[in-house]
Amino acid sequence: TITDKIITHKTITYDTITNGAITHDSDKETIKTETNATYLAVQILQEPQFRAVCMEPSVNRIYVDGDLITSVSLEKELQQWKKECTGRSLFLVLPYIIRNREEAYLEYLKSQVLSQKIWDGIMIRNLEGLYWAHEIGWKKKRGGSLQADACLYAWNRRSRVFLKEMGVTSTVPLECNREDLRQLEIHGME
């Protein structure tokens, strides 16, 4: 099962979206959707994790840490997976901290996300990542999605509106309780 694969290959963060109320535990989060379908998004942090989850039919989206795409072997596997698994999405995950001194790294990421047609979106973790995605023309050149992770969350309606205006799909803050979630109106958030 996918759980066995996850345990074998260390930590993978994932969200499962199914019909039901929001509940939290250390591994998953359930959110009510209009389609009543299960949606499983997995973030990989190491190459073996990709191999563990890529053939799992319940995985709809894979978030790939930017540091991993420097691997030629993984790049080929990502391209193959994207070709074979239509209807499933692949997102590049930016670093938690973006610094100007990492210019060569950022240029490499830019070349990858703009030239490789396998990427459906970018997960941004901070405002610098949002700026970078706009600076490289991600939405204009590729029309791809921008997804905020839990570090760049919409804690209140004002921040959610800002992110939405910037073309970013918000993430439900991990710290929210049931009342916070009700007030935040989480429909359409991950």
Side-chain angles (χ1 to χ4, degrees), residues 19-33:
N19 184 26
I22 296 171
T23 57
H24 291 280
D25 63 59
S26 62
D27 293 324
K28 44 185 166 176
E29 174 179 304
T30 306
I31 300 173
K32 185 175 181 179
T33 64

Side-chain angles (χ1 to χ4, degrees), residues 120-184:
D120 299 295
I122 298 173
M123 176 178 271
I124 56 175
R125 294 175 159 168
N126 51 44
L127 292 175
E128 294 87 352
L130 175 59
Y131 176 80
W132 179 82
H134 283 282
E135 188 73 12
I136 68 167
W138 172 249
K139 301 243 341 145
K140 289 179 183 175
K141 292 179 182 175
R142 289 287 311 277
S145 299
L146 290 174
Q147 174 66 51
D149 90 335
C151 290
L152 183 66
Y153 56 75
W155 184 257
N156 56 42
R157 288 187 194 131
R158 197 177 259 172
S159 60
R160 185 167 180 208
V161 167
F162 168 76
L163 290 173
K164 188 173 184 179
E165 287 173 353
M166 298 303 293
V168 178
T169 302
S170 299
T171 297
V172 176
L174 299 174
E175 298 89 352
C176 283
N177 61 32
R178 186 175 301 231
E179 181 59 24
D180 293 333
L181 294 173
R182 187 188 62 73
Q183 289 178 11
L184 195 54

Side-chain angles (χ1 to χ4, degrees), residues 7 16 21 30 33 47 77 83 98 137 143 152 172 178:
I7 291 168
T16 304
T30 306
T33 64
E47 269 190 68
E77 289 180 64
K83 188 184 336 180
I98 295 178
L152 183 66
V172 176
R178 186 175 301 231

